[in-house]
Structures are given as structure tokens and as C-alpha cells.
């Protein structure tokens, strides 16, 4: 987890560019699972016909899932390469999403123009107080901000723990390992921006990855291809392949994950 107000991009000592990971994102980052959208729907956090804005949309996994639930979706991300991938995936899914290149801290939308604002797997990258205030500005009265994560879990002796150890060897500036998939500071972000009726939701599930898919998934992470040189990425991938072959020969791998949601209503 990052410090309370400092964007993660400043804590790496180098620019993190997710645009470099567009191919890996498309092929190997599975995005939020169907169970996430089922839970959001069952809890009444998203309803058909609502207008939703997805912040830090990446390849559109959250916006696309909500569009498939019947919401009118717009999305914004600073990486144009990821948006191009998102549009390809949208065409395959048969949905249309209004994409914008931009930042969560300076939204190009009018006041009170959305019923729901979402941020999936990205809140830690923002100037959080500024993003929360912008989300509040573009939400209609009683509109909802929903911050969601879908995190792998490093447990003693598992493949995630071994992989995170390799990332740290390759990139000592990486600060995002050892997570629990729970983000209590986000509750303060909601409260400080005058959101009420704050709730959380969480559940665990396992995701199957082939060795190749796990290597691709890790390449698409902030600590690897988004911030290392091509030579360093190739060296890291060879090391990861060797660890998988020698210590985790089972294929596919069973990788534990946690879904966690914090949400509040604009007062």
C-alpha cells in the first residue's frame, strides 16, 4: 500500500507507464471476475440505466462489465494504448463505451452528470483526495463512488510470495508487495470527501493461470514491464520461468485472490 496522499508513480523513483504493457494487459490480465459484477448487482450498487464513469479504466474491464449489466458507461484513463485495447475488447463483447484520455484528478465532465463513479484496481495511483473530490463533483446527489480491488494474495510458500520476491530483486523500488487485498485508508478518503453510508464488501476466490499466462500477468504489473527496461524485463521473465518450473511445476497454477470494495454515497 502507498502513503496516504502520495501517488504511487512518485514512489517508484521512475515513471510507471502502463501503455508499455498493453499487449500483456489484453492477453493475460483477466480483470474483475464475474463474481464481482454479480455481487455489485446483488447489493444494488449498480442498476441498469444508470450513467457510470469508470476512472483509470485500463482495458475497460469494469466499464465493460457494468455496460453488460445495462449501465451507460463512460471511462477515462491516461494511457491511450490501453484504451485502444479496451475498444477492441468492447467490440468483441458487443458494448459501446465513451472513452476519454485523461486523469481522475481533472475530469472533463460537467457537475452532477453521473449516477455512479467506479475505480477498479487504480485508486492507489491517484492523488486520492483530489480524485475523491472530482468524483463527488461529477456525481449527482445520492450518487455512489465505488472503489474496488482484485488482488493476488502472497501467502507463505505460495507462487505469489515467490513471484513478489523476484520482482523486488529486479526492482528494489517496487513498494506494492506483501498486500492483504484490504485498504482501510480508502474509507477515510470517502469520509473526508463527504461521502456517507460507507460500506465494504469482500470475498476470496482462486484463479487458474497456466505458467505462460502467469508470466504474462506479472509482466503487465507495475513493478515489471511498466517500469523496467526491455533487457531487465527479459531477464526477469527467464528467472520467473525457472522458479515456476523448479518450485511450482503444476500447470495450471491455483492463485488465491481477494475482491474488496469500499463504497459511499454523495451526501
Amino acid at each position: 500500500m502507498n502513503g496516504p496522499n502520495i501517488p504511487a508513480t512518485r514512489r517508484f523513483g521512475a515513471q510507471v507507464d502502463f501503455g508499455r504493457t498493453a499487449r500483456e494487459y489484453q492477453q493475460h490480465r483477466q480483470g474483475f471476475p464475474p463474481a464481482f459484477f454479480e455481487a455489485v448487482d446483488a447489493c444494488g450498487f449498480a442498476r441498469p440505466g444508470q450513467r457510470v464513469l469508470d476512472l483509470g479504466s485500463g482495458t475497460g474491464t469494469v466499464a465493460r462489465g457494468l455496460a453488460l449489466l445495462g449501465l451507460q458507461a463512460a471511462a477515462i484513463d491516461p494511457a491511450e494504448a490501453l484504451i485502444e485495447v479496451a475498444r477492441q475488447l468492447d467490440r468483441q463483447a458487443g458494448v459501446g463505451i465513451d472513452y476519454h484520455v485523461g486523469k481522475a484528478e481533472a475530469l472533463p465532465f460537467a457537475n452532477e452528470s453521473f449516477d455512479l463513479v467506479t475505480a477498479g484496481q487504480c485508486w492507489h495511483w491517484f492523488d486520492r483526495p483530489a480524485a475523491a473530490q472530482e468524483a463527488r463533483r461529477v456525481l449527482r446527489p445520492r450518487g455512489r463512488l465505488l472503489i474496488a480491488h482484485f488482488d493476488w494474495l502472497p501467502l507463505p510458500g505460495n507462487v505469489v510470495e515467490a513471484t513478489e520476491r523476484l520482482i523486488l530483486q529486479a526492482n528494489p523500488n517496487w513498494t506494492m508487495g506483501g498486500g492483504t487485498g484490504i485498504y482501510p485508508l480508502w474509507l477515510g478518503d470517502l469520509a473526508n470527501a463527504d461521502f456517507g453510508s460507507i460500506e465494504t464488501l469482500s470475498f476470496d476466490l482462486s484463479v487458474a493461470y497456466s505458467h505462460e499466462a502467469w508470466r504474462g500477468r506479472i509482466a503487465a504489473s507495475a513493478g515489471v514491464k511498466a517500469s523496467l527496461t526491455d533487457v531487465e524485463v527479459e531477464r526477469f521473465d527467464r528467472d520467473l520461468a525457472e522458479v515456476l518450473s523448479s518450485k511450482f511445476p503444476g500447470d495450471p497454477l491455483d492463485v488465491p485472490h481477494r475482491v474488496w470494495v469500499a463504497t459511499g454515497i454523495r451526501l
Side-chain angles (χ1 to χ4, degrees):
M1 184 181 297
N2 297 288
N5 296 313
I6 302 173
T9 45
R10 292 194 219 149
R11 298 174 66 84
F12 276 90
Q15 183 64 37
V16 176
D17 180 7
F18 279 107
R20 296 182 60 217
T21 71
R23 181 175 62 84
E24 287 79 11
Y25 248 95
Q26 181 176 16
Q27 295 180 355
H28 300 298
R29 286 196 72 147
Q30 300 183 19
F32 282 77
F36 164 76
F37 297 101
E38 292 166 5
V40 166
D41 184 36
C43 291
F45 294 158
R47 296 187 298 277
Q50 286 184 321
R51 191 168 184 228
V52 58
L53 171 63
D54 185 43
L55 309 178
S57 60
T59 57
T61 173
V62 173
R64 188 161 44 255
L66 293 174
L68 289 168
L69 287 178
L71 282 78
Q72 302 173 45
I76 188 166
D77 194 277
E80 193 164 1
L82 294 182
I83 289 176
E84 287 304 314
V85 170
R87 289 191 175 111
Q88 296 173 27
L89 296 172
D90 291 347
R91 286 193 289 271
Q92 295 171 16
V95 298
I97 295 168
D98 179 22
Y99 287 101
H100 298 258
V101 176
K103 296 183 178 181
E105 299 88 347
L107 297 173
F109 304 102
N111 295 350
E112 300 185 0
S113 51
F114 294 95
D115 304 294
L116 175 66
V117 172
T118 57
Q121 208 71 9
C122 58
W123 193 250
H124 51 291
W125 293 109
F126 303 153
D127 177 335
R128 299 189 338 252
Q133 288 296 338
E134 274 292 86
R136 188 180 191 282
R137 179 183 66 78
V138 302
L139 278 169
R140 296 176 179 131
R142 306 299 298 174
R144 180 181 298 276
L145 173 57
L146 187 149
I147 304 167
H149 288 268
F150 182 47
D151 291 356
W152 65 51
L153 297 177
L155 303 175
N158 79 349
V159 67
V160 180
E161 182 188 60
T163 301
E164 288 192 349
R165 191 179 302 116
L166 280 181
I167 296 174
L168 278 171
Q169 291 173 8
N171 186 353
N173 291 319
W174 187 59
T175 61
M176 303 177 76
T180 64
I182 297 174
Y183 298 83
L185 292 181
W186 294 189
L187 305 179
D189 295 343
L190 290 166
N192 291 336
D194 291 327
F195 286 87
S197 301
I198 295 171
E199 301 179 59
T200 62
L201 164 73
S202 91
F203 57 90
D204 291 3
L205 70 165
S206 292
V207 179
Y209 279 92
S210 69
H211 282 200
E212 179 184 3
W214 182 245
R215 287 162 57 194
R217 168 63 184 89
I218 299 304
S221 68
V224 184
K225 195 168 183 179
S227 52
L228 297 177
T229 67
D230 290 343
V231 171
E232 290 169 333
V233 171
E234 291 177 7
R235 183 184 306 121
F236 171 85
D237 183 64
R238 287 195 300 270
D239 291 344
L240 179 56
E242 182 178 341
V243 166
L244 295 179
S245 177
S246 62
K247 296 185 177 180
F248 304 95
D251 198 345
L253 302 162
D254 190 31
V255 182
H257 283 67
R258 177 165 294 148
V259 170
W260 188 84
V261 173
T263 182
I265 300 292
R266 178 191 163 178
L267 298 178

